[in-house]
Amino acid sequence: MFKDVSAVIFDIDGTLMDSISRIVECIRISCSEIGASVPSSEDSKSVIGLSLGQAIASILPGRSEDEISKAVDVYRNTYIRMEKDDPVKLFDDAFGVMEELKNRGYKIGIATGKSRKGYDRVMGYAPIARFIDVSSTGDEVRSKPDQQMLNRLSDELLIPPKGCLMVGDSSLDISMGVNAHTHTAGVLTGVHDRETLMNAGADAVVNTLTELLDLLPDRSEKR
């Protein structure tokens, strides 16, 4: 049990939202549109969590800056169009878990590879914005697994890293938490399996967000 935690910081894609297949599809389309080899689903998943530009550059080694820029534009435009037609859904338990954590006295943060514009679009249709105290996005800081994103959130919350729990579905999320000296919990709803998350340094791995509640005691009486 994470008894000394007072803030829970979530990744979005694959952690709060069932968006991995959408991201993979957009990566593959962006590569195809510039005439590059279309990466496998597994290779596409491996870059999820990086900032968009870094993700596309990683999936297109040896390509020119102009080609990478074009692929980024294709990805962004394709994702926005799909999002408008069919918004990505939260996992069924995401809303309830965040609501319960707020009721238990926790601060809640978001650490996402999305851009600030992408984050704002999500908050425009996903009903969780009311629970979020702080957020940091991939275009504002160095990309995961660098610790800068979590350091910024820790500073804004006035809570030391050891009082924060980073929750994510990817080894990038876990490694970022390890680098920032936060607690870490992996969730098996997105990119990586239990072994990969544990090898990255996760303190705990849960099947779903709901299982997190068993690890986080009620702090409301301490406020």
Side-chain angles (χ1 to χ4, degrees):
M1 185 176 285
F2 296 112
K3 294 182 180 180
D4 56 344
V5 165
S6 53
V8 183
I9 299 171
F10 293 95
D11 169 57
I12 292 181
D13 294 311
T15 301
L16 294 174
M17 304 194 82
D18 191 11
S19 49
I20 299 303
S21 61
R22 173 75 53 86
I23 295 171
V24 167
E25 182 180 6
C26 290
I27 289 173
R28 288 164 60 86
I29 289 171
S30 69
C31 293
S32 176
E33 285 292 313
I34 69 162
S37 297
V38 176
S40 67
S41 293
E42 288 305 309
D43 285 344
S44 298
K45 286 181 182 180
S46 71
V47 301
I48 293 175
L50 297 173
S51 61
L52 178 56
Q54 188 170 339
I56 296 299
S58 296
I59 210 76
L60 292 172
R63 292 283 173 165
S64 69
E65 289 185 10
D66 285 346
E67 288 175 308
I68 291 171
S69 179
K70 180 180 178 182
V72 167
D73 287 341
V74 171
Y75 176 98
R76 184 179 289 114
N77 292 335
T78 302
Y79 196 97
I80 290 172
R81 174 174 50 80
M82 290 181 174
E83 188 177 42
K84 183 177 179 180
D85 294 339
D86 181 23
V88 175
K89 295 177 175 59
L90 291 170
F91 287 113
D92 289 342
D93 57 354
F95 181 94
V97 167
M98 295 183 84
E99 182 177 46
E100 176 62 18
L101 289 174
K102 292 302 287 187
N103 289 339
R104 292 187 186 185
Y106 289 90
K107 296 291 187 181
I108 292 180
I110 295 292
T112 178
K114 290 182 179 296
S115 68
R116 177 56 64 178
K117 286 184 177 179
Y119 171 83
D120 288 343
R121 285 198 312 273
V122 168
M123 291 302 115
Y125 64 79
I128 56 174
R130 72 190 80 170
F131 304 128
I132 298 168
D133 298 290
V134 293
S135 61
S136 187
T137 61
D139 59 342
E140 297 173 333
V141 293
R142 293 187 292 272
S143 186
K144 300 175 184 179
D146 190 280
Q147 65 269 29
Q148 186 181 23
M149 189 177 291
L150 288 180
N151 287 346
R152 174 177 289 190
L153 295 176
S154 172
D155 288 345
E156 288 186 26
L157 288 167
L158 301 179
I159 296 172
K162 65 182 180 180
C164 299
L165 171 65
M166 177 63 210
V167 181
D169 66 293
S170 153
S171 62
L172 288 171
D173 300 315
I174 302 304
S175 295
M176 177 175 63
V178 170
N179 291 337
H181 305 292
T182 70
H183 296 284
T184 55
V187 60
L188 300 176
T189 51
V191 173
H192 286 138
D193 59 19
R194 183 180 300 273
E195 182 179 6
T196 301
L197 295 170
M198 292 299 293
N199 286 341
D203 297 314
V205 177
V206 295
N207 292 301
T208 64
L209 291 174
T210 299
E211 292 183 10
L212 273 180
L213 298 177
D214 295 331
L215 305 177
L216 292 161
D218 193 334
R219 301 186 70 258
S220 58
E221 295 182 359
K222 300 178 182 180
R223 287 183 294 180

